[in-house]
Amino acid sequence: MARDAALVEASVKKKVVAPRSWVLLDSTGETTILDADKYAIMHRVQIHARDLRILDPLLSYPSTILGREQAIVLNLEHIKAIITAEEVLLRDPTEENVIPIVEELRRRLPTINVAERTQGEGREHHDADAIEEEESPFEFRALEVALEAICSYLDARTTELETAAYPALDELTSKISSRNLDRVRKLKSAMTRLTARVQKVRDELEQLLDDDDDMADLYLSRKLFGASSPVSGSGAPNWFAASPTIGSKISRASRASAATIHGNENDVEELEMLLEAYFMQIDATLNKLTTLREYIDDTEDYINIQLDNHRNQLIQLELFLSSGTVCLSLYSLVAGVFGMNIPYSWNDNHGYIFKWVVIISGVVAALLFIFIVAYARYKGLVGS
Protein backbone atom coordinates (compact mmCIF):
# COMPACT_ATOMS: atom_id res chain seq x y z
CA MET A 1 0.00 0.00 0.00
CA ALA A 2 2.80 2.39 0.89
CA ARG A 3 4.47 1.69 -2.46
CA ASP A 4 1.24 2.32 -4.36
CA ALA A 5 0.73 5.60 -2.49
CA ALA A 6 4.27 6.68 -3.37
CA LEU A 7 3.69 5.86 -7.04
CA VAL A 8 0.45 7.85 -7.09
CA GLU A 9 2.17 10.82 -5.43
CA ALA A 10 5.03 10.67 -7.94
CA SER A 11 2.62 10.57 -10.89
CA VAL A 12 0.76 13.59 -9.53
CA LYS A 13 4.02 15.51 -9.20
CA LYS A 14 4.89 14.75 -12.81
CA LYS A 15 1.58 16.24 -13.96
CA VAL A 16 2.13 19.47 -12.04
CA VAL A 17 3.62 22.20 -14.21
CA ALA A 18 7.10 23.02 -12.96
CA PRO A 19 7.56 26.68 -12.05
CA ARG A 20 9.97 28.81 -13.99
CA SER A 21 12.20 31.51 -12.59
CA TRP A 22 11.31 35.03 -13.65
CA VAL A 23 12.49 38.44 -12.52
CA LEU A 24 10.01 41.31 -12.37
CA LEU A 25 11.15 44.92 -12.75
CA ASP A 26 8.66 47.71 -12.21
CA SER A 27 8.80 51.37 -13.21
CA THR A 28 10.86 52.25 -10.13
CA GLY A 29 13.60 49.77 -11.02
CA GLU A 30 12.84 47.42 -8.14
CA THR A 31 13.33 43.73 -8.88
CA THR A 32 11.35 40.76 -7.61
CA ILE A 33 12.14 37.11 -8.26
CA LEU A 34 9.08 35.09 -9.24
CA ASP A 35 8.85 31.30 -9.32
CA ALA A 36 5.60 31.09 -11.23
CA ASP A 37 4.21 28.58 -13.68
CA LYS A 38 2.99 29.54 -17.11
CA TYR A 39 -0.65 29.86 -16.06
CA ALA A 40 0.21 32.47 -13.43
CA ILE A 41 2.26 34.41 -15.97
CA MET A 42 -0.52 34.19 -18.56
CA HIS A 43 -3.05 35.50 -16.04
CA ARG A 44 -0.76 38.30 -14.92
CA VAL A 45 0.07 39.76 -18.33
CA GLN A 46 -3.06 38.61 -20.18
CA ILE A 47 -1.41 36.70 -23.05
CA HIS A 48 -2.21 33.38 -24.68
CA ALA A 49 -0.35 30.12 -24.19
CA ARG A 50 0.97 30.18 -27.76
CA ASP A 51 2.66 33.52 -27.05
CA LEU A 52 4.22 32.25 -23.83
CA ARG A 53 5.40 29.12 -25.63
CA ILE A 54 7.65 31.32 -27.77
CA LEU A 55 9.68 32.08 -24.63
CA ASP A 56 10.17 28.43 -23.71
CA PRO A 57 13.95 27.75 -23.77
CA LEU A 58 13.30 24.07 -24.51
CA LEU A 59 11.65 24.98 -27.81
CA SER A 60 13.45 26.48 -30.79
CA TYR A 61 11.72 29.63 -31.99
CA PRO A 62 13.23 32.35 -34.16
CA SER A 63 13.72 35.88 -32.90
CA THR A 64 10.32 37.47 -32.45
CA ILE A 65 8.81 40.76 -31.26
CA LEU A 66 5.04 40.44 -30.85
CA GLY A 67 2.69 43.23 -29.86
CA ARG A 68 -0.37 42.12 -27.93
CA GLU A 69 -3.23 44.05 -26.34
CA GLN A 70 -1.53 44.50 -22.98
CA ALA A 71 2.03 43.23 -23.46
CA ILE A 72 5.00 42.91 -25.77
CA VAL A 73 6.39 39.38 -26.13
CA LEU A 74 10.10 39.55 -26.78
CA ASN A 75 12.24 36.59 -27.87
CA LEU A 76 15.70 37.73 -28.96
CA GLU A 77 18.27 34.96 -28.55
CA HIS A 78 18.82 34.63 -24.78
CA ILE A 79 16.56 37.62 -24.02
CA LYS A 80 13.10 36.23 -23.31
CA ALA A 81 10.90 38.91 -21.82
CA ILE A 82 7.35 40.16 -21.47
CA ILE A 83 6.96 43.93 -21.37
CA THR A 84 3.79 45.64 -20.15
CA ALA A 85 3.00 49.33 -19.67
CA GLU A 86 4.39 49.24 -16.12
CA GLU A 87 6.62 46.19 -15.60
CA VAL A 88 9.04 43.83 -17.30
CA LEU A 89 9.14 40.07 -16.80
CA LEU A 90 12.49 38.56 -17.76
CA ARG A 91 13.06 34.82 -17.89
CA ASP A 92 16.00 32.97 -16.31
CA PRO A 93 17.53 35.98 -14.49
CA THR A 94 20.46 33.94 -13.18
CA GLU A 95 21.79 33.16 -16.64
CA GLU A 96 25.18 34.65 -17.37
CA ASN A 97 24.04 36.67 -20.39
CA VAL A 98 20.84 37.89 -18.71
CA ILE A 99 22.38 39.34 -15.53
CA PRO A 100 23.82 42.45 -17.30
CA ILE A 101 20.41 43.09 -18.88
CA VAL A 102 18.73 43.02 -15.48
CA GLU A 103 21.27 45.51 -14.15
CA GLU A 104 20.78 47.78 -17.16
CA LEU A 105 17.00 47.65 -16.80
CA ARG A 106 17.30 48.43 -13.11
CA ARG A 107 19.41 51.47 -13.97
CA ARG A 108 17.44 52.88 -16.90
CA LEU A 109 13.80 52.11 -16.17
CA PRO A 110 13.24 54.58 -13.29
CA THR A 111 14.32 57.56 -15.39
CA ILE A 112 10.96 59.31 -15.20
CA ASN A 113 10.60 59.02 -11.45
CA VAL A 114 14.12 60.34 -10.88
CA ALA A 115 13.36 63.30 -13.11
CA GLU A 116 10.17 63.99 -11.16
CA ARG A 117 12.00 64.08 -7.82
CA THR A 118 14.89 66.17 -9.14
CA GLN A 119 12.82 68.73 -10.95
CA GLY A 120 10.17 68.94 -8.24
CA GLU A 121 12.64 70.38 -5.77
CA GLY A 122 14.26 73.02 -7.92
CA ARG A 123 11.73 73.97 -10.59
CA GLU A 124 8.09 74.65 -11.09
CA HIS A 125 5.53 71.95 -11.72
CA HIS A 126 5.04 72.72 -15.41
CA ASP A 127 8.78 72.38 -16.07
CA ALA A 128 8.73 68.89 -14.59
CA ASP A 129 5.75 68.00 -16.75
CA ALA A 130 7.62 69.20 -19.83
CA ILE A 131 10.57 66.96 -19.01
CA GLU A 132 8.28 64.02 -18.36
CA GLU A 133 6.57 64.46 -21.71
CA GLU A 134 9.94 64.30 -23.41
CA GLU A 135 10.61 60.88 -21.85
CA SER A 136 9.79 57.75 -23.79
CA PRO A 137 7.03 55.44 -22.55
CA PHE A 138 8.03 52.71 -20.14
CA GLU A 139 7.66 49.90 -22.70
CA PHE A 140 9.93 51.71 -25.17
CA ARG A 141 12.68 52.17 -22.60
CA ALA A 142 12.53 48.46 -21.76
CA LEU A 143 12.45 47.54 -25.45
CA GLU A 144 15.44 49.79 -26.11
CA VAL A 145 17.47 48.08 -23.38
CA ALA A 146 16.65 44.66 -24.88
CA LEU A 147 17.51 45.75 -28.44
CA GLU A 148 20.72 47.42 -27.31
CA ALA A 149 21.73 44.30 -25.38
CA ILE A 150 21.10 41.87 -28.24
CA CYS A 151 22.77 44.13 -30.83
CA SER A 152 25.82 44.59 -28.61
CA TYR A 153 25.93 40.86 -27.88
CA LEU A 154 25.83 39.85 -31.54
CA ASP A 155 28.33 42.56 -32.47
CA ALA A 156 30.72 41.31 -29.77
CA ARG A 157 30.39 37.73 -31.06
CA THR A 158 31.10 39.01 -34.58
CA THR A 159 34.19 40.88 -33.41
CA GLU A 160 35.49 37.76 -31.65
CA LEU A 161 34.91 35.73 -34.80
CA GLU A 162 36.73 38.30 -36.94
CA THR A 163 39.66 38.34 -34.52
CA ALA A 164 40.03 34.58 -34.83
CA ALA A 165 39.15 34.21 -38.53
CA TYR A 166 41.39 36.69 -40.32
CA PRO A 167 44.72 35.42 -38.87
CA ALA A 168 43.63 31.83 -39.51
CA LEU A 169 42.81 32.61 -43.13
CA ASP A 170 46.12 34.40 -43.64
CA GLU A 171 47.96 31.45 -42.13
CA LEU A 172 46.11 29.08 -44.44
CA THR A 173 47.14 31.05 -47.53
CA SER A 174 50.78 30.88 -46.46
CA LYS A 175 50.71 27.19 -45.55
CA ILE A 176 48.07 24.72 -46.65
CA SER A 177 47.87 21.97 -44.05
CA SER A 178 45.23 19.71 -42.56
CA ARG A 179 45.34 21.58 -39.24
CA ASN A 180 44.81 24.96 -40.88
CA LEU A 181 42.04 23.63 -43.11
CA ASP A 182 40.20 22.12 -40.14
CA ARG A 183 40.56 25.37 -38.20
CA VAL A 184 39.10 27.41 -41.03
CA ARG A 185 36.29 24.86 -41.46
CA LYS A 186 35.25 25.30 -37.81
CA LEU A 187 35.41 29.09 -38.11
CA LYS A 188 33.29 29.01 -41.24
CA SER A 189 30.68 26.86 -39.51
CA ALA A 190 30.60 29.28 -36.58
CA MET A 191 30.24 32.19 -38.99
CA THR A 192 27.32 30.50 -40.77
CA ARG A 193 25.48 29.93 -37.49
CA LEU A 194 26.13 33.48 -36.30
CA THR A 195 25.00 34.93 -39.62
CA ALA A 196 21.72 33.06 -39.36
CA ARG A 197 21.14 34.44 -35.85
CA VAL A 198 21.92 38.01 -36.91
CA GLN A 199 19.76 37.64 -40.00
CA LYS A 200 16.76 36.54 -37.91
CA VAL A 201 17.01 39.59 -35.66
CA ARG A 202 17.43 41.87 -38.66
CA ASP A 203 14.46 40.34 -40.48
CA GLU A 204 12.26 40.79 -37.41
CA LEU A 205 13.17 44.48 -37.10
CA GLU A 206 12.69 44.98 -40.84
CA GLN A 207 9.28 43.33 -40.68
CA LEU A 208 8.23 45.64 -37.86
CA LEU A 209 9.47 48.72 -39.71
CA ASP A 210 7.54 47.72 -42.83
CA ASP A 211 4.20 47.43 -40.99
CA ASP A 212 2.83 50.48 -39.17
CA ASP A 213 0.04 48.43 -37.63
CA ASP A 214 2.52 46.11 -35.94
CA MET A 215 4.42 49.10 -34.58
CA ALA A 216 1.18 50.66 -33.35
CA ASP A 217 0.48 47.47 -31.39
CA LEU A 218 3.63 48.11 -29.37
CA TYR A 219 2.27 51.41 -27.97
CA LEU A 220 1.00 49.90 -24.72
CA SER A 221 0.81 53.21 -22.84
CA ARG A 222 -1.27 54.72 -25.64
CA LYS A 223 -3.68 51.79 -25.58
CA LEU A 224 -3.86 51.95 -21.79
CA PHE A 225 -4.59 55.66 -21.88
CA GLY A 226 -7.22 55.21 -24.58
CA ALA A 227 -8.94 52.37 -22.72
CA SER A 228 -8.97 54.37 -19.47
CA SER A 229 -10.07 57.71 -20.95
CA PRO A 230 -13.65 59.01 -20.47
CA VAL A 231 -14.31 58.40 -24.13
CA SER A 232 -13.99 54.69 -23.55
CA GLY A 233 -16.66 54.76 -20.84
CA SER A 234 -17.75 51.33 -19.76
CA GLY A 235 -15.87 49.70 -22.57
CA ALA A 236 -12.71 49.37 -20.47
CA PRO A 237 -11.75 45.83 -19.52
CA ASN A 238 -12.55 44.67 -16.00
CA TRP A 239 -8.91 44.09 -15.08
CA PHE A 240 -8.19 47.84 -15.11
CA ALA A 241 -10.57 48.45 -12.20
CA ALA A 242 -9.11 45.57 -10.24
CA SER A 243 -5.57 46.92 -10.52
CA PRO A 244 -4.43 48.80 -7.40
CA THR A 245 -2.00 50.96 -9.39
CA ILE A 246 -4.31 52.02 -12.17
CA GLY A 247 -4.06 55.68 -11.20
CA SER A 248 -0.29 55.75 -11.54
CA LYS A 249 -0.49 53.80 -14.79
CA ILE A 250 -2.90 56.26 -16.34
CA SER A 251 -0.91 59.24 -15.10
CA ARG A 252 2.42 58.02 -16.50
CA ALA A 253 0.83 56.78 -19.72
CA SER A 254 -0.89 60.08 -20.31
CA ARG A 255 2.30 62.08 -19.75
CA ALA A 256 4.55 59.76 -21.76
CA SER A 257 2.18 59.55 -24.73
CA ALA A 258 0.57 62.99 -24.61
CA ALA A 259 2.01 64.09 -27.92
CA THR A 260 0.87 61.07 -29.86
CA ILE A 261 -2.51 60.74 -28.10
CA HIS A 262 -3.57 64.29 -28.82
CA GLY A 263 -2.32 63.96 -32.37
CA ASN A 264 -2.68 61.00 -34.69
CA GLU A 265 -3.25 57.74 -32.81
CA ASN A 266 -1.54 55.85 -35.62
CA ASP A 267 1.61 57.96 -35.36
CA VAL A 268 4.54 55.56 -34.88
CA GLU A 269 7.39 57.97 -35.56
CA GLU A 270 8.95 57.61 -32.09
CA LEU A 271 9.07 53.82 -32.26
CA GLU A 272 10.14 53.89 -35.89
CA MET A 273 13.18 56.01 -35.05
CA LEU A 274 14.02 53.66 -32.18
CA LEU A 275 13.80 50.55 -34.35
CA GLU A 276 15.67 52.17 -37.24
CA ALA A 277 18.63 52.95 -34.99
CA TYR A 278 19.06 49.34 -33.94
CA PHE A 279 18.17 48.07 -37.39
CA MET A 280 21.14 50.02 -38.73
CA GLN A 281 23.34 48.61 -35.97
CA ILE A 282 22.32 45.00 -36.61
CA ASP A 283 22.62 45.61 -40.35
CA ALA A 284 26.20 46.83 -39.81
CA THR A 285 26.91 43.63 -37.90
CA LEU A 286 25.47 41.61 -40.77
CA ASN A 287 27.67 43.55 -43.20
CA LYS A 288 30.71 42.59 -41.13
CA LEU A 289 29.76 38.94 -41.41
CA THR A 290 29.11 39.36 -45.13
CA THR A 291 32.56 40.89 -45.56
CA LEU A 292 34.07 38.01 -43.59
CA ARG A 293 32.22 35.49 -45.76
CA GLU A 294 33.54 37.19 -48.90
CA TYR A 295 37.05 37.09 -47.45
CA ILE A 296 36.64 33.37 -46.76
CA ASP A 297 35.34 32.81 -50.29
CA ASP A 298 38.28 34.75 -51.72
CA THR A 299 40.65 32.67 -49.62
CA GLU A 300 39.02 29.47 -50.84
CA ASP A 301 39.36 30.66 -54.43
CA TYR A 302 43.02 31.46 -53.83
CA ILE A 303 43.58 28.02 -52.28
CA ASN A 304 41.85 26.35 -55.22
CA ILE A 305 44.04 28.32 -57.64
CA GLN A 306 47.13 27.19 -55.74
CA LEU A 307 45.96 23.58 -55.81
CA ASP A 308 45.17 23.83 -59.52
CA ASN A 309 48.64 25.24 -60.13
CA HIS A 310 50.23 22.33 -58.26
CA ARG A 311 48.03 19.93 -60.18
CA ASN A 312 49.14 21.47 -63.47
CA GLN A 313 52.77 21.14 -62.43
CA LEU A 314 52.23 17.47 -61.69
CA ILE A 315 50.59 17.03 -65.10
CA GLN A 316 53.57 18.69 -66.77
CA LEU A 317 55.94 16.42 -64.89
CA GLU A 318 53.87 13.44 -65.94
CA LEU A 319 54.04 14.61 -69.56
CA PHE A 320 57.83 14.89 -69.43
CA LEU A 321 58.14 11.47 -67.86
CA SER A 322 55.79 9.94 -70.44
CA SER A 323 57.73 11.55 -73.29
CA GLY A 324 61.02 10.29 -71.89
CA THR A 325 59.54 6.80 -71.52
CA VAL A 326 58.45 6.79 -75.18
CA CYS A 327 61.93 7.86 -76.32
CA LEU A 328 63.64 5.27 -74.16
CA SER A 329 61.28 2.59 -75.44
CA LEU A 330 62.45 3.30 -79.00
CA TYR A 331 66.05 3.09 -77.80
CA SER A 332 65.21 -0.21 -76.09
CA LEU A 333 63.59 -1.44 -79.28
CA VAL A 334 66.84 -1.00 -81.22
CA ALA A 335 68.78 -2.70 -78.43
CA GLY A 336 66.26 -5.55 -78.41
CA VAL A 337 66.51 -6.06 -82.17
CA PHE A 338 70.28 -6.28 -82.13
CA GLY A 339 70.28 -8.36 -79.00
CA MET A 340 68.14 -11.20 -80.40
CA ASN A 341 69.96 -14.55 -80.41
CA ILE A 342 69.26 -15.34 -84.05
CA PRO A 343 72.09 -16.35 -86.43
CA TYR A 344 72.46 -14.00 -89.42
CA SER A 345 75.42 -13.49 -91.78
CA TRP A 346 75.76 -9.68 -91.77
CA ASN A 347 76.66 -9.71 -88.07
CA ASP A 348 79.99 -11.35 -88.83
CA ASN A 349 83.12 -9.21 -89.00
CA HIS A 350 81.20 -5.98 -88.36
CA GLY A 351 81.98 -5.34 -84.65
CA TYR A 352 82.80 -1.67 -85.26
CA ILE A 353 79.15 -0.92 -86.08
CA PHE A 354 78.03 -1.47 -82.44
CA LYS A 355 79.16 1.94 -81.28
CA TRP A 356 77.43 3.67 -84.19
CA VAL A 357 74.18 1.91 -83.45
CA VAL A 358 74.36 3.03 -79.82
CA ILE A 359 75.27 6.62 -80.68
CA ILE A 360 72.71 7.03 -83.46
CA SER A 361 69.91 5.47 -81.37
CA GLY A 362 70.69 7.75 -78.41
CA VAL A 363 70.77 10.86 -80.59
CA VAL A 364 67.48 9.95 -82.28
CA ALA A 365 65.81 9.33 -78.86
CA ALA A 366 67.09 12.65 -77.53
CA LEU A 367 65.98 14.55 -80.63
CA LEU A 368 62.54 12.93 -80.37
CA PHE A 369 62.21 13.99 -76.72
CA ILE A 370 63.24 17.56 -77.57
CA PHE A 371 60.74 17.62 -80.42
CA ILE A 372 57.89 16.46 -78.15
CA VAL A 373 58.71 19.06 -75.49
CA ALA A 374 59.02 21.84 -78.08
CA TYR A 375 55.71 20.87 -79.67
CA ALA A 376 54.01 20.87 -76.25
CA ARG A 377 55.36 24.34 -75.48
CA TYR A 378 54.31 25.59 -78.91
CA LYS A 379 50.76 24.38 -78.32
CA GLY A 380 50.73 25.84 -74.79
CA LEU A 381 50.36 22.45 -73.14
CA VAL A 382 53.17 23.20 -70.70
CA GLY A 383 54.47 26.38 -69.12
CA SER A 384 57.49 28.23 -70.38
Side-chain angles (χ1 to χ4, degrees):
M1 294 296 294
R3 181 179 299 178
D4 295 339
L7 291 175
V8 172
E9 183 179 358
S11 62
V12 171
K13 288 182 179 180
K14 290 181 179 179
K15 293 181 181 179
V16 176
V17 178
R20 297 287 183 178
S21 179
W22 296 78
V23 60
L24 184 146
L25 296 97
D26 57 15
S27 58
T28 63
E30 296 182 359
T31 60
T32 305
I33 302 297
L34 301 178
D35 288 330
D37 58 21
K38 63 180 182 180
Y39 300 107
I41 299 297
M42 289 163 51
H43 180 72
R44 184 182 185 93
V45 298
Q46 299 292 316
I47 62 174
H48 296 290
R50 66 175 180 269
D51 297 330
L52 190 60
R53 196 175 297 116
I54 296 175
L55 306 181
D56 194 340
L58 301 179
L59 302 177
S60 178
Y61 279 93
S63 297
T64 306
I65 302 176
L66 296 178
R68 294 297 181 250
E69 185 63 28
Q70 302 168 17
I72 299 174
V73 181
L74 198 66
N75 178 29
L76 297 175
E77 295 287 328
H78 55 274
I79 305 176
K80 302 180 184 299
I82 301 174
I83 303 173
T84 67
E86 193 181 53
E87 61 187 19
V88 179
L89 285 168
L90 197 61
R91 191 160 202 164
D92 299 330
T94 58
E95 187 180 344
E96 180 182 359
N97 295 323
V98 180
I99 293 176
I101 303 173
V102 176
E103 296 297 329
E104 188 68 14
L105 286 170
R106 186 182 302 170
R107 184 181 67 86
R108 294 172 62 175
L109 286 182
T111 304
I112 293 181
N113 292 336
V114 173
E116 288 179 355
R117 291 195 296 268
T118 304
Q119 300 297 331
E121 296 176 357
R123 296 186 181 180
E124 296 180 356
H125 181 69
H126 68 276
D127 293 334
D129 290 340
I131 293 178
E132 290 168 4
E133 288 181 1
E134 293 177 358
E135 295 291 343
S136 298
F138 173 85
E139 63 271 17
F140 288 175
R141 299 202 307 276
L143 180 61
E144 183 178 6
V145 171
L147 291 175
E148 181 180 349
I150 191 62
C151 290
S152 300
Y153 174 80
L154 293 175
D155 187 68
R157 301 290 82 76
T158 302
T159 303
E160 292 177 0
L161 185 61
E162 286 179 330
T163 304
Y166 285 115
L169 293 170
D170 294 338
E171 184 179 356
L172 179 62
T173 55
S174 61
K175 181 181 180 181
I176 303 175
S177 63
S178 299
R179 185 181 66 86
N180 291 336
L181 288 172
D182 185 67
R183 183 183 176 189
V184 171
R185 179 188 62 82
K186 292 179 180 178
L187 290 172
K188 186 177 181 180
S189 300
M191 184 205 63
T192 302
R193 293 192 298 268
L194 183 59
T195 302
R197 293 161 59 188
V198 174
Q199 185 70 47
K200 289 177 182 178
V201 176
R202 181 188 180 278
D203 291 344
E204 184 62 25
L205 293 178
E206 185 178 16
Q207 183 179 356
L208 276 175
L209 288 170
D210 290 341
D211 196 332
D212 290 347
D213 293 335
D214 289 343
M215 285 192 287
D217 290 338
L218 302 184
Y219 278 79
L220 303 180
S221 298
R222 175 190 292 173
K223 290 187 288 186
L224 180 63
F225 177 83
S228 305
S229 62
V231 179
S232 300
S234 60
N238 295 330
W239 74 277
F240 288 136
S243 176
T245 59
I246 185 63
S248 61
K249 286 184 181 179
I250 297 173
S251 177
R252 279 192 295 271
S254 61
R255 289 195 299 267
S257 304
T260 55
I261 290 297
H262 296 158
N264 183 9
E265 293 185 355
N266 295 323
D267 183 19
V268 293
E269 182 180 358
E270 181 181 1
L271 179 59
E272 186 175 6
M273 290 188 297
L274 174 66
L275 294 178
E276 280 182 351
Y278 291 101
F279 175 79
M280 293 176 63
Q281 183 175 350
I282 199 69
D283 190 59
T285 302
L286 184 61
N287 289 336
K288 289 182 182 179
L289 292 171
T290 303
T291 303
L292 179 59
R293 175 179 290 277
E294 292 176 354
Y295 193 83
I296 291 177
D297 292 340
D298 293 341
T299 303
E300 289 179 346
D301 294 339
Y302 177 75
I303 296 301
N304 290 330
I305 291 173
Q306 279 191 328
L307 294 177
D308 290 340
N309 185 37
H310 293 162
R311 193 177 300 111
N312 292 335
Q313 291 177 355
L314 291 176
I315 292 174
Q316 292 179 16
L317 179 60
E318 183 180 3
L319 176 61
F320 292 150
L321 293 176
S322 299
S323 302
T325 302
V326 171
C327 297
L328 289 177
S329 64
L330 294 178
Y331 189 79
S332 301
L333 175 63
V334 175
V337 169
F338 282 89
M340 288 188 294
N341 193 15
I342 299 176
Y344 44 87
S345 58
W346 59 271
N347 193 27
D348 298 335
N349 299 323
H350 294 85
Y352 63 92
I353 204 172
F354 173 76
K355 61 179 181 180
W356 291 110
V357 171
V358 173
I359 294 174
I360 293 174
S361 300
V363 171
V364 170
L367 291 175
L368 180 61
F369 178 78
I370 294 173
F371 173 77
I372 293 175
V373 172
Y375 180 79
R377 290 183 184 278
Y378 174 74
K379 292 295 184 179
L381 300 178
V382 297
S384 57

